Amino acid sequence: PPVTTSVNVDATAPYVTSVTPPTNATYKTNNNVDFTANFSKAVDVSGTPRLTLTVGASTYYANYLSGTGTNALIFRYTVAAGHSDN
């Protein structure tokens, strides 16, 4: 059998500690709005994660932009025509 005496396993999954929203402002069609999801420790991204947003009464998504290997992932939502919310 293989020797595993020097193998360490981190069994604690990272978790979201906070989400930093964009600055309060008026965003227009085609403006990019970035959100930062902060984690308890560095995360490696696989696949295409996204954040769920409620704009008005509708659901939209902010798509993963960058941050793999860090504890802060950036997600971007591009404002579309007719999307309006306070």
Side-chain angles (χ1 to χ4, degrees):
V3 177
T4 59
T5 55
S6 63
V7 174
N8 294 316
V9 175
D10 182 354
T12 305
Y15 56 90
V16 175
T17 58
S18 65
V19 175
T20 305
T23 304
N24 281 341
T26 299
Y27 296 94
K28 299 179 183 201
T29 301
N30 295 321
N31 283 164
N32 291 323
V33 182
D34 293 343
F35 297 81
T36 302
N38 300 293
F39 288 81
S40 58
K41 59 184 176 180
V43 293
D44 291 316
V45 174
S46 67
T48 50
R50 57 189 186 172
L51 293 179
T52 302
L53 307 175
T54 301
V55 178
S58 299
T59 300
Y60 300 101
Y61 299 96
N63 296 309
Y64 170 73
L65 182 65
S66 65
T68 192
T70 72
N71 65 338
L73 302 183
I74 300 172
F75 294 82
R76 177 168 285 169
Y77 166 73
T78 302
V79 178
H83 293 189
S84 179
D85 197 343
N86 291 328

